[in-house]
Amino acid sequence: MVKPDPDYVQKRIVCSDVERARESLLNPKIIEQKKEERTIDELAKPLIEVSLKEGIETVWDRYEKQQPECKFCAQGLSCSRCAMGPCRIIPEHGRVRGVCGADADLIVARNLLDTIATGAAAHSDHGREIVETLHKTAIGEAQGYTITDGVKLRRIAEEFGFETARLTDEELARDVALALLEEYGTTKNYVQFSRRAPEKTQKIWNATGITPRSVDREIVEAMHRVHMGVGADYTNILLHGLRTSLGDGWGGSMMATDISDVLFKTPEINESTVNLGVVKKDHVNIALHGHNPVLSEMVVRAASDPELLELADRKGAAGINLVGLCCTGNELLMRKGIPQAGNHFNQELLIATGALEVMIIDYQCIFPSLPRTAGCYHTHIVSTNPKSKVPGSLYYAFYPETAMDTAKAIVKLAVENYENRNPNTVLIPGKPMRVVTGFSVEAIKSALGDTWKPLVDAIVAGKIKGAAGVVGCNNPKIKHDYGHVTLSKELIKRNILVVETGCAAIASGKAGLLRPEAAELAGDGLREVCEALGIPPVLHMGSCVDCSRILVLLAELANAVGVGIDELPVAGAAPEWYSQKAVSIGSYFVASGVYTVLGPMPKITGSASVVELLTKGLFDVVNAAFAVEPDPMKAADLMEKHIEHKRKKLGI
Ligand code: SF4
Ligand code: MSK
């Protein structure tokens, strides 16, 4: 049986070692006020209350302790790239340039390029791991994996011009995997999937010089460009940011999505449940948190292993209950209907239910402090990825070659931990919310009768005014889920169909917007279309990397009517974004022609020139730009106005 890696043995953090902050918080009025200020998620509130009473720190407490934030950093005006610094631009003190001579525009632009490149790297490295797993599956080296969607595999193979007829799925998978791995450093000067974009959109990229040449090349060049003394033109730097992000959206992320579909199945419309109420009192509960589905897919299979189920029975549990978190959860929800416990700001609260035996983490969006939270309960945090080791966790090194053995070992660990649960601390705060999910591009098209015509007709007739992609995270600068839910409700009321990914989709799920019944909240036209098709007015399209599904959807719609993506009556929004990946996503939406409204302000206000370029100047370059509007009602106004403008230009 696989055991935790002996080379990375971590001492379990015990509650007495965890900083507690309880004295000032025993005032019931303060507790009441804080839980209302922090979230609109009704099931989160009782657990926030418990955390406050017990002094168990959460993201909101740490955010409060970080105030006031450094105003130079917040404006993007600090630089610590080289050893002559760190430098800050403070014009009122005559500090208008860093030691090297960099001005505010350059420092802000370089910081932003760094952020975009980080996000693009995170998505694309995830994509590479999925493609490597496909390769290992094809050559028989991966344990327990199979090719689940051979049709999609063949479609991808044809895009590369491969002869598919005489090859088996495995032979084809090997060739496709190798071709995709080459995309990371291809010398053909474009990434293959960028050819999925409408010709008009590709022409804009070519004219602007932002066609992504290879996934890694753009990221490496971004890292080169942020070095001291490599160019001082903020426009030139930020155009490379767009190019880097396109290599993510139409490259690394798209590979992650498509190959996960090939390995684990292309999502189909299915039903499940979301919110913290998916935890079961009488079951062994295991959470799957992070972004990469390669391990969690195996855990799903391991959890139905008869021996492990029998062991759970012997320990007195009624079964093994898997729940998802963040985007690993989205991957499982979309494909397998595994219930989803919540989004980014539910991660600590899930542990505070006291009923979680193990939280398995892969990478991205995982609070490094989780083992401290778990230290006050019986929960084990199990880290699994060699690039994402976390002090205080149990580290089970995960490799595709031994995937099933590792998955079984972790499930066994959880089952054995069930008896350590303290029933007195268990708080499952309510009932789960039903959701309808699984809206891959293929599933949407199939629901429409394998043609885009009904959707195009509904848009032309004005029943549906347009479409909006609402994506991204949680951020303590915005009340948890308020931005997502308010914006989505407002858009559907205005007959704008909403598609969502990531934590935005989970927020909508918790609020009941992913049920067909939510059509009641939509405007008359959208309601009619949703009721005719039996679909919700907010469609869950997947995880963060699955924002690439939105790109493909836009490309197919634009191709169906013979326009560029920039001409479609669509808009994007990230009302509660926090991560570098979200900046890359926003950038590739804009670079692909989608006007995008951000909730929290990026760290760019130190340069009026950069703000002007990103919010106005880009219209002259890619016919789309960013806006920043933290108030979701006002964000809906901006998006609706943009959509109406596009309709007018199309003459509809
Ligand atoms: Fe200062 Fe320039 Fe070095 Fe940045 S690169 S730390 S601005 S000297
Ligand atoms: S998990 S990147 S908090 S959407 Fe993808 Fe959620 Fe944002 Fe992470």
Side-chain angles (χ1 to χ4, degrees), residues 277-295:
V278 299
V279 174
K280 290 185 180 166
K281 203 170 186 169
D282 56 354
H283 279 58
V284 173
N285 291 298
I286 302 174
L288 298 140
H289 181 18
H291 282 78
N292 188 328
V294 288
L295 167 63

Side-chain angles (χ1 to χ4, degrees), residues 409-432:
I410 300 171
V411 173
K412 185 163 185 251
L413 174 80
V415 172
E416 286 173 341
N417 198 24
Y418 180 72
E419 62 197 10
N420 297 324
R421 192 192 284 183
N422 176 358
N424 299 326
T425 62
V426 172
L427 173 61
I428 298 171
K431 295 262 175 284

Side-chain angles (χ1 to χ4, degrees), residues 185 204 213 237 416 460 506:
I204 292 173
R213 291 160 296 182
I237 287 171
E416 286 173 341
V460 172
I506 307 166

Side-chain angles (χ1 to χ4, degrees), residues 79-82 84-85 87 98-100 102 107 110 228:
C79 179
S80 57
R81 296 194 181 280
C82 85
M84 293 193 285
C87 305
V99 177
C100 66
I107 289 177
R110 274 193 319 215
M228 199 294 276

